[in-house]
Amino acid sequence: MPQRFFPPFSVGANVSNQAITDAFRCKNIGGIRYSTATKTIVLILNYNFGIYDNSSNADDGEFYFAGEGQEGDQCMNRGNLRLNNAAADGIELHLFESLVNDPGYRYRGTVETIGEPSVERQADKNGNERNVFMFKLRRCKQ
């Protein structure tokens, strides 16, 4: 997918939430942040929030991103549906990681989804088992 939007920071940069919001003209909360202005989705891969079982192998450029929804089974709607359909809809995906004991968000660059999301059993914010969409992402060549 050709990159159409260039944020004002480079891959690997540690940036503030406000810088993300300003650059992408997206909302300032949530893990899946769609911007109509830039036709992008900002994905926040958060390791500080115990609900989501996100993981990465940054050296290989592969990431596993838990879908949207903190309580009960996740549904294929809203942000999950937009992320699932991003490639077909021509929407660029930009990934940031929120790392433990590291202020701000590390920009990982553009990514693409690989295949359909899997469904895993994980605990919700109340500790109840539920279905969670796990999206496999791969870093695009920058």
Side-chain angles (χ1 to χ4, degrees):
M1 166 189 332
Q3 186 171 357
R4 298 179 312 273
F5 178 77
F6 298 93
F9 30 82
S10 59
V11 172
N14 197 0
V15 299
S16 69
N17 193 42
Q18 189 62 52
I20 294 169
T21 301
D22 292 346
F24 288 91
R25 294 178 282 190
C26 63
K27 61 185 177 177
N28 65 356
I29 60 170
I32 301 175
R33 306 175 183 183
Y34 176 64
S35 171
T36 56
T38 60
K39 200 165 185 182
T40 58
I41 294 176
V42 170
L43 299 172
I44 306 293
L45 193 61
N46 196 329
Y47 302 109
N48 299 311
F49 194 43
I51 295 173
Y52 302 112
D53 191 15
N54 295 313
S55 65
S56 72
N57 186 345
D59 293 336
D60 285 348
E62 290 189 354
F63 304 86
Y64 292 90
F65 184 85
E68 181 178 74
Q70 297 180 13
E71 188 174 8
D73 289 341
Q74 291 183 350
C75 298
M76 189 53 74
N77 60 13
R78 300 185 337 254
N80 292 332
L81 184 61
R82 193 174 297 273
L83 175 55
N84 193 57
N85 295 341
D89 294 341
I91 298 171
E92 235 176 40
L93 306 175
H94 291 261
L95 182 67
F96 292 82
E97 284 184 293
S98 176
L99 304 172
V100 176
N101 299 322
D102 192 0
Y105 299 86
R106 181 136 329 125
Y107 181 50
R108 293 298 185 190
T110 54
V111 294
E112 61 187 350
T113 56
I114 301 176
E116 293 295 317
S118 61
V119 177
E120 293 184 5
R121 297 293 289 169
Q122 295 181 14
D124 71 7
K125 71 178 186 176
N126 301 312
N128 298 316
E129 288 289 308
R130 47 91 178 248
N131 290 331
V132 172
F133 291 111
M134 293 300 294
F135 294 87
K136 186 174 183 181
L137 308 173
R138 177 177 47 217
R139 191 171 21 221
C140 298
K141 294 188 185 201
Q142 304 299 318

